[in-house]
Amino acid sequence: MNIGNITENYDITIIGAGHAGCEAALACARMGLKTLVLCMDLDSVALMACNPSIGGTSKGHLVREVDALGGEMGLAADECFIQMRMLNTGKGPAVQSLRAQMDKRRYHERMKAALENEPNISLRQDECARILTKNGSVSGVLTALGAVYACRACVICSGVYLNSRVHTGEYHRDRGPSGLASAGLLSDSLRELGFELRRFKTGTPPRVSKRSLELDRMQPQYGDVPAPHFSFLTESADRVQQPCYLTYTNEATHAVIRQNIDRSPMYTGAIHATGTRYCPSIEDKIVRFADKDRHQLFIEPEGLGTDEMYVQGLSTSLPRDVQEQMLHTVAGMEHCSIMRYGYAIEYDCIDPLELGAELKSKRIPGLFFAGQINGSSGYEEAAAQGIYAGLNTALFVKEEEPLIIGRGEAYLGVLCDDLTLKGTNEPYRMMTCRAEHRMMLRQDNADMRLTEKAYRTGLISPVRYDRLMRKKAEIDAARSALSAYAAPGEAINTLLEARGSTAIRTGTELFSLLKRRGVAYTDLLELFDLPDISPESREEIEAEALYGGYIRRQEAEIEKLRSLDGMLIPDGVDYRAVGNLRTEARQKLAAMRPKTLGQASRISGVSPADVSVLAVYIKSLMGEA
Amino acid sequence: MNDTVFALSTPVGGAIAIMRISGPDTRGVLARLFDGRVEHRRASFGRIVDENGETVETATVAFFEAPHSYTGEDMAEISIHGSAAGARKLSQLLTNTGLVRAAAPGEFTKRAYLNGKMDLAQAEAVMDLISASAERSRRAAAMQLEGRLSALVRGLYEEVKSALAQLAAYLDDDSAEPEYESSGIADRIKAVAEENRKLISGGMRARVLREGARIAIVGSPNVGKSSLLNALILRERAIVTPIPGTTRDTLEEPASIEGVPVVFIDTAGIRETLDEVESIGISRAKREAGAADVILLAVDGSRPVNDEERALIREILSAHPQNTVAVLTKADLVRVNETEAGKLASGLSGENCVDAVSVSALTGEGLDALKRLIAERIVPAENEAAVTNARHIAALEEAGRSMEAALCRLEEGLPDAAFEDLRAAMKAFAHITGAEDMNEDLVNEVFSRFCIGK
């Protein structure tokens, strides 16, 4: 194919400007590289096409991790939220997570402005038609409007737009979310480059008019006061907040769905793609959990300047009239008026087993992928992959070592490790139970886990770095002050009894008092000579005291993981020559070509004995060399 | 690879048991449980003590400092008296220190290789060893845990997984109003913990080591069961006459086979009889056969088998195909009836996969072969398999400790910590059952049972 003259030169092209694309672009630009961002519709930059909220269990962790790496999502969310709530407060610090309701229009504008204000970013409305390669490596992109942009690397963040098709009952159209256009050109280019494309599916519920709801018949849910915030940079985020509302489906709702189930495209066979078990449609829930007599619905405002409300829990692709009928059976929604109908959407994605740990194609140098194209679901999962792929693309262009974040370091590490080593057969959603070391991977210590590690990228601003150093110094000071002993006395014993704990009779280390359930740092601060530290530092110290044994155990496991990940497998290993591997392991290893023994050990079908055999084999190779 | 591992490096039941320890914490481990001196290249005599400082037994400990050892790491060899129970107690003490874990198959050799203690030519052999050992211990695990015990451990794994899924749904549930609760989880864990305790204390392996394997000698009257008993224990314990039905009650006699304690049980010959005393003896014989770890099915090899005997053989073989050894007795007389015995033996071993052996109580012919067959059923076939076994017991104990901890954390209102303990318990069970991908298994369970998500 004859490609015309080069229109412009860039270092990196980001394809798509959703939650992954925005973070990827900002990371590349902030690392000093000339970055082009292609987006099919600039009014849909950072569009929250599904629910108007950011965070939630484990997703809130991801937002904090993106922030700790110098990303934008946390800051933007802190500016644009209309409700903020810490979830799971009664279940222990490891599973606490922030969730924020967004003004989704403002969020889009805020994120678009961030891109516009970055001197190294050119934001352009156009569709990528083809990835260009030279000698097998990325050399540029060709757009639908015929422009040729030369670049050394690309991050594909196409979200759910590739060959997307939406379904509402008998209505089927080749569209993207919310009536936007589908991207029809890039899939063929990816196939040409040797990627096998798969079809995944997700869905969204109807949006209803707030004035048509009887909100006083629902249970309101308010934000926390004062409002907590995501970013380690945000000082205070207090503001007037908007409530959400709780209501429930009932037998009548379920009867409507059951009567019309044959009209659902999931059941008529119009949809062939794989949906996520985490975000099931209401028709799926009724079929799969037939014994549940009601399902919770959570009514969320879409923003301050709109009457639209999002009906979380009612994702559906049933026909228009069925959507009306079923909503009208719900308490407080009997007369509700639907403004946008729910739909299911299918789209092309790649098999993430094609990717190395840093989300880079194993075959085509310079080609990176992030977000739903990798088979994940969710804004936060996308943003986390976005910044990770973005900063690694920049490191690639600069010819520096990649920054690998492991399972023991972040949810982001678990996410990318799972995707690239285990793969996924459905849109992958983060869950706290996927993280083996979650006592360590808390949302409060994301900065302690990641900020220093990412320092060499240049994404960490001096302010952010100074804050972390201050926090660490505070924690160290508190730790050493807590090694003092408390003598038994009336004041301390009154406190302990008031906290439901037993009195002390001998001198006791303050730190061990903090281990007792119900005893807080602030309690001890009143009685002993301790430094007055920030709430964030207190959280860290209290978690250390409460979970000491677990944290030490997990640290030891992480150390083991790290040492396995430190053992590199040479590039050209011929697995057929390793006689003692079991056949299944040999095939998997040959197909996946892991870079380290640690990665090899996490591939399903590779046993510990296989890993041992491989270790010995590699050692013998090195002996020969 | 810088953790510390241990393994029994002698067959179970030898005169001496040698436990090897290798890794950086070797000295630390010895400091906890050995009161003798620990010096490089020196064997010292001392006492093995438990957590409470009580003497468990005496031992000789040889210590080798890194890199001057077989593995190239700090290493010790603890030699104790060779009872299986002693070795088991020692591995328990080692595990309890929290500093060591049971070695994986071939791990000592692997460490030796990786630390440069072997030359390149040996690499291939090391890989052979690892994969063969892994395969052997996998098979051993499957065989030892065949049937009831395996089903029990699998059941415990599933129960813990199910409780864990409930806890996961509760912890990951971020709906506005918690839809899932943690109530009832504690009771479920208690039930699993109780089952696990029973399995550890009453489990076949532990009981065998404590009380001896029960080996019942059953068969038709006058086929030579009592003579077989006397020959096996090398003295005239049972009264032997040519009169059928001489042994009327069961008779127990402790002995030892390859160092493992056993109890031989001589039983009344099984036949249709009107004699009341004899028929009580016969029903006891059948009960003993049912409860035995190994059944020696005695068949008179010197004469054709009659219909009643044939029926009995079928009955025993179909009821206890796994643990029966057919013993063709009176091998000194057998010449007249070689074909019959041979047919029976091959018929038995071919069709039912039952081992058969010809024995003469008079000349002692075949007795060693019989003892080996018995040993195979009660003693894991080789060194590596014995380690596997210690590993299983250690795994069950680890699961027990983790479940206790989980219960405490739930009590304290720390469900997130309880989850970690429960996951450790699930992992310990998975160690035995060999579940493929525990995390994926758990996530699947959560999704299949709980409607979570938006």
Side-chain angles (χ1 to χ4, degrees):
Chain A
M1 178 175 165
N2 182 24
I3 289 156
N5 293 333
I6 289 170
T7 316
E8 267 182 275
N9 284 292
Y10 288 93
D11 292 314
I12 295 167
T13 304
I14 311 289
I15 296 158
H19 305 283
C22 286
E23 294 293 348
L26 290 168
C28 294
R30 287 168 180 169
M31 286 170 74
L33 298 171
K34 216 179 146 205
T35 306
L36 171 70
V37 181
L38 293 178
C39 176
M40 288 168 61
D41 182 346
L42 293 191
D43 292 331
S44 65
V45 170
L47 174 71
M48 305 182 78
C50 200
N51 72 335
S53 91
I54 284 179
T57 50
S58 75
K59 289 165 168 270
H61 290 68
L62 287 170
V63 180
R64 287 243 165 160
E65 290 173 358
V66 168
D67 185 68
L69 292 170
E72 198 66 20
M73 182 176 243
L75 285 165
D78 284 349
E79 281 180 39
C80 305
F81 75 80
I82 53 179
Q83 187 198 97
M84 184 72 84
R85 216 175 136 86
M86 186 64 86
L87 305 171
N88 272 348
T89 46
K91 301 177 187 172
V95 292
Q96 278 179 26
S97 237
L98 268 182
R99 188 192 57 212
Q101 300 303 138
M102 286 297 127
D103 182 320
K104 68 194 270 183
R105 213 61 229 161
R106 267 196 72 201
Y107 187 84
H108 146 75
E109 282 164 4
R110 164 67 179 72
M111 208 49 133
K112 183 163 172 256
L115 265 59
E116 288 166 351
N117 292 335
E118 202 57 58
N120 280 331
I121 289 182
S122 303
L123 182 59
R124 192 147 302 154
Q125 182 163 307
D126 198 349
E127 178 182 351
C128 177
R130 202 165 165 201
I131 307 292
L132 306 175
T133 57
K134 197 168 176 182
N135 304 326
S137 303
V138 169
S139 62
V141 296
L142 170 70
T143 73
L145 293 175
V148 175
Y149 299 105
C151 60
R152 291 157 69 191
C154 252
V155 190
I156 301 186
C157 310
S158 56
V160 297
Y161 289 82
L162 281 196
N163 268 337
S164 54
R165 187 169 171 81
V166 299
H167 306 267
T168 299
E170 294 88 10
Y171 171 93
H172 316 286
R173 288 290 184 284
D174 291 339
R175 291 278 153 78
S178 210
L180 290 157
S182 156
L185 302 171
L186 191 57
S187 289
D188 281 342
S189 173
L190 288 174
R191 273 194 206 95
E192 262 175 41
L193 291 172
F195 290 93
E196 244 177 69
L197 297 183
R198 309 194 291 168
R199 231 34 205 157
F200 274 8
K201 171 239 147 184
T202 184
T204 198
R207 274 63 154 182
V208 297
S209 157
K210 184 176 181 182
R211 64 184 154 84
S212 70
L213 302 177
E214 293 170 63
L215 294 173
D216 52 351
R217 294 179 54 208
M218 302 179 188
Q219 187 188 325
Q221 200 194 50
Y222 301 98
D224 293 343
V225 179
H229 47 82
F230 280 113
S231 176
F232 292 101
L233 292 180
T234 303
E235 301 273 358
S236 158
D238 224 10
R239 72 196 62 169
V240 177
Q241 300 186 45
Q242 301 300 311
C244 296
Y245 299 89
L246 270 179
T247 183
Y248 295 91
T249 63
N250 53 47
E251 268 313 321
T253 325
H254 301 182
V256 170
I257 295 166
R258 273 194 291 268
Q259 279 155 25
N260 291 286
I261 199 85
D262 56 334
R263 296 175 64 199
S264 158
M266 285 307 285
Y267 293 87
T268 58
I271 297 179
H272 305 290
T274 319
T276 169
R277 290 173 298 177
Y278 191 85
C279 233
S281 62
I282 188 71
E283 46 270 35
D284 240 18
K285 291 186 200 175
I286 304 301
V287 173
R288 288 184 44 220
F289 300 97
D291 55 328
K292 278 199 87 171
D293 52 10
R294 64 175 201 177
H295 291 275
Q296 190 186 77
L297 300 180
F298 192 56
I299 316 293
E300 309 172 42
E302 293 244 311
L304 293 179
T306 174
D307 196 45
E308 285 186 76
M309 301 286 271
Y310 177 94
V311 188
Q312 189 205 101
L314 208 81
S315 173
T316 183
S317 58
L318 284 163
R320 177 196 56 79
D321 55 310
V322 184
Q323 293 192 22
E324 308 266 5
Q325 254 188 73
M326 67 186 187
L327 274 176
H328 291 162
T329 61
V330 175
M333 303 185 85
E334 288 87 346
H335 309 290
C336 90
S337 162
I338 295 182
M339 295 177 72
R340 302 183 202 222
Y341 292 92
Y343 58 86
I345 180 165
E346 5 171 31
Y347 52 95
D348 288 346
C349 53
I350 62 157
D351 185 344
L353 294 179
E354 290 259 14
L355 307 179
E358 71 272 48
L359 303 180
K360 183 175 78 174
S361 161
K362 289 179 192 169
R363 291 180 293 109
I364 300 161
L367 193 56
F368 290 73
F369 293 82
Q372 283 177 285
I373 179 93
N374 289 343
S376 65
S377 85
Y379 312 145
E380 303 81 356
E381 287 86 343
Q385 291 172 65
I387 190 165
Y388 189 50
L391 68 87
N392 274 308
T393 308
L395 291 171
F396 168 84
V397 170
K398 294 172 164 201
E399 295 177 18
E400 290 176 28
E401 281 297 301
L403 183 85
I404 304 296
I405 295 174
R407 304 183 73 83
E409 293 172 295
Y411 275 79
L412 160 56
V414 175
L415 167 68
C416 295
D417 200 70
D418 277 351
L419 284 175
T420 59
L421 290 176
K422 297 193 192 308
T424 184
N425 294 318
E426 62 174 339
Y428 178 103
R429 199 261 192 204
M430 201 64 238
M431 295 166 78
T432 68
C433 71
R434 295 192 196 265
E436 298 87 343
H437 314 106
R438 70 177 174 192
M439 306 308 266
M440 310 268 311
L441 310 186
R442 302 184 311 276
Q443 51 99 28
D444 63 89
N445 66 4
D447 52 345
M448 313 260 287
R449 293 185 273 120
L450 298 173
T451 298
E452 268 183 294
K453 174 155 185 155
Y455 190 76
R456 73 171 163 103
T457 60
L459 289 174
I460 308 304
S461 67
V463 182
R464 188 183 289 282
Y465 189 74
D466 287 349
R467 282 211 178 176
L468 174 65
M469 290 304 124
R470 261 209 317 276
K471 181 173 172 182
K472 284 188 141 181
E474 269 191 358
I475 291 168
D476 283 344
R479 246 188 233 132
S480 70
L482 283 167
S483 66
Y485 276 67
E490 209 191 313
I492 179 67
N493 282 334
T494 311
L495 166 77
L496 289 175
E497 274 156 24
R499 292 286 177 273
S501 197
T502 50
I504 54 170
R505 291 204 185 76
T506 56
T508 309
E509 197 188 16
L510 293 179
F511 190 73
S512 74
L513 291 178
L514 202 55
K515 288 180 182 171
R516 298 187 179 192
R517 195 85 172 108
V519 178
Y521 187 84
T522 45
D523 292 331
L524 300 178
L525 188 62
E526 282 174 28
L527 299 179
F528 302 97
D529 184 23
L530 293 174
D532 189 3
I533 55 177
S534 69
E536 294 77 31
S537 302
R538 287 204 302 266
E539 262 182 82
E540 173 69 26
I541 277 280
E542 285 169 357
E544 270 175 29
L546 201 56
Y547 294 126
Y550 294 89
I551 291 176
R552 273 192 297 282
R553 201 159 73 198
Q554 299 197 341
E555 270 170 349
E557 285 169 15
I558 289 169
E559 196 39 57
K560 214 184 255 176
L561 213 69
R562 197 171 293 146
S563 88
L564 268 180
D565 272 325
M567 294 161 98
L568 300 180
I569 301 176
D571 268 346
V573 168
D574 178 5
Y575 289 100
R576 283 168 308 179
V578 194
N580 301 78
L581 291 174
R582 290 169 316 119
T583 310
E584 185 193 3
R586 186 177 308 134
Q587 287 166 349
K588 288 268 176 67
L589 289 164
M592 300 273 304
R593 310 214 66 84
K595 285 229 149 98
T596 70
L597 270 190
Q599 291 179 1
S601 72
R602 294 193 292 280
I603 295 172
S604 58
V606 177
S607 74
D610 294 323
V611 175
S612 290
V613 165
L614 198 53
V616 172
Y617 180 75
I618 289 165
K619 171 89 180 177
S620 75
L621 279 186
M622 292 189 307
E624 274 170 1
Chain B
M1 184 132 50
N2 41 17
D3 56 353
T4 304
V5 296
F6 73 90
L8 188 62
S9 64
T10 46
V12 172
I16 285 180
I18 298 175
M19 194 72 81
R20 271 179 169 179
I21 308 173
S22 177
D25 281 326
T26 303
R27 270 178 189 280
V29 172
L30 291 175
R32 295 264 187 99
L33 48 75
F34 179 65
D35 71 351
R37 294 172 63 150
V38 175
E39 267 176 59
H40 179 48
R41 278 201 189 145
R42 192 186 153 118
S44 28
F45 186 73
R47 294 174 306 142
I48 298 288
V49 293
D50 66 13
E51 296 91 334
N52 307 318
E54 309 259 345
T55 304
V56 178
E57 63 180 303
T58 54
T60 305
V61 172
F63 180 75
F64 307 90
E65 206 165 72
H68 308 287
S69 73
Y70 171 69
T71 56
E73 303 174 322
D74 275 0
M75 210 183 139
E77 289 181 356
I78 306 179
S79 309
I80 57 170
H81 298 115
S83 82
R88 186 169 116 65
K89 176 74 188 167
L90 182 55
S91 48
Q92 194 177 1
L93 286 175
L94 285 166
T95 312
N96 288 352
T97 63
L99 297 172
V100 276
R101 62 170 172 82
E107 190 162 3
F108 282 84
T109 317
K110 181 181 109 184
R111 286 177 178 227
Y113 180 73
L114 293 181
N115 288 322
K117 303 300 283 189
M118 293 177 174
D119 65 32
L120 193 61
Q122 285 168 293
E124 191 80 350
V126 176
M127 287 189 282
D128 268 337
L129 175 80
I130 294 168
S131 58
S133 307
E135 177 56 19
R136 198 159 54 227
S137 62
R138 189 195 62 73
R139 256 205 310 261
M143 272 161 56
Q144 283 162 28
L145 292 169
E146 194 80 65
R148 207 163 53 96
L149 196 57
S150 166
L152 278 174
V153 178
R154 161 69 46 188
L156 296 182
Y157 172 84
E158 292 293 331
E159 256 304 305
V160 170
K161 183 174 84 183
S162 164
L164 200 49
Q166 189 185 343
L167 196 52
Y170 166 73
L171 291 174
D172 253 307
D173 175 20
D174 62 357
S175 52
E177 198 183 49
E179 289 209 47
Y180 296 107
E181 294 181 0
S182 58
S183 67
I185 291 178
D187 288 338
R188 300 180 62 181
I189 300 170
K190 275 181 202 151
V192 183
E194 182 52 36
E195 279 303 306
N196 186 53
R197 256 194 300 278
K198 276 193 217 154
L199 202 57
I200 294 169
S201 60
M204 179 173 76
R205 196 53 43 184
R207 185 179 53 73
V208 164
L209 294 179
R210 201 173 55 239
E211 298 164 9
R214 295 183 74 77
I215 300 173
I217 305 172
V218 299
S220 303
N222 210 26
V223 293
K225 297 183 294 297
S226 299
S227 300
L228 183 60
L229 171 72
N230 290 341
L232 282 165
I233 64 174
L234 291 177
R235 60 197 172 93
E236 297 290 314
R237 177 63 179 82
I239 300 161
V240 180
T241 73
I243 306 160
T246 304
T247 306
R248 298 196 147 206
D249 198 357
T250 56
L251 188 71
E252 295 197 3
E253 193 57 28
S256 154
I257 285 197
E258 298 203 359
V260 175
V262 299
V263 179
F264 285 111
I265 305 142
D266 187 16
T267 66
I270 297 170
R271 64 170 170 182
E272 289 294 325
T273 178
L274 294 174
D275 183 323
E276 205 176 323
V277 177
E278 193 183 347
S279 68
I280 292 172
I282 290 171
S283 66
R284 280 193 188 158
K286 288 185 172 169
R287 203 163 59 228
E288 285 298 343
D293 297 304
V294 179
I295 298 170
L296 303 185
L297 175 58
V299 178
D300 190 335
S302 67
R303 60 173 172 78
V305 176
N306 65 36
D307 287 348
E308 192 178 359
E309 287 174 329
R310 204 178 299 279
L312 176 66
I313 291 168
R314 281 217 191 88
E315 185 187 327
I316 300 269
L317 287 184
S318 62
H320 314 285
Q322 302 288 341
N323 57 345
T324 301
V325 177
V327 184
L328 304 174
T329 59
K330 309 183 189 176
D332 44 307
L333 303 176
V334 94
R335 310 297 162 215
V336 282
N337 200 20
E338 204 153 17
T339 46
E340 177 77 20
K343 229 192 311 187
L344 185 62
S346 66
L348 287 174
S349 53
E351 210 174 299
N352 301 295
C353 297
V354 167
D355 282 315
V357 60
S358 283
V359 167
S360 165
L362 205 66
T363 65
E365 178 193 338
L367 276 176
D368 285 341
L370 175 58
K371 283 183 185 170
R372 268 199 305 279
L373 286 174
I374 295 171
E376 270 176 26
R377 280 160 179 74
I378 55 172
V379 184
E382 29 190 317
N383 183 11
E384 292 286 352
V387 176
T388 307
N389 204 313
R391 218 182 283 145
H392 290 167
I393 290 170
L396 292 180
E397 282 166 349
E398 164 71 26
R401 281 192 297 274
S402 298
M403 285 187 285
E404 291 305 321
L407 286 169
C408 291
R409 296 297 91 77
L410 282 176
E411 187 94 352
E412 291 166 9
L414 292 172
D416 55 347
F419 185 92
E420 302 306 320
D421 286 313
L422 215 46
R423 173 148 52 190
M426 184 173 163
K427 197 169 163 187
F429 287 132
H431 213 70
I432 301 176
T433 59
E436 258 278 294
D437 187 335
M438 207 184 83
N439 237 5
E440 197 50 36
D441 207 10
L442 176 64
V443 170
N444 285 337
E445 177 80 5
V446 173
F447 283 130
S448 70
R449 290 194 22 237
F450 301 95
C451 178
I452 61 168
K454 295 173 201 169

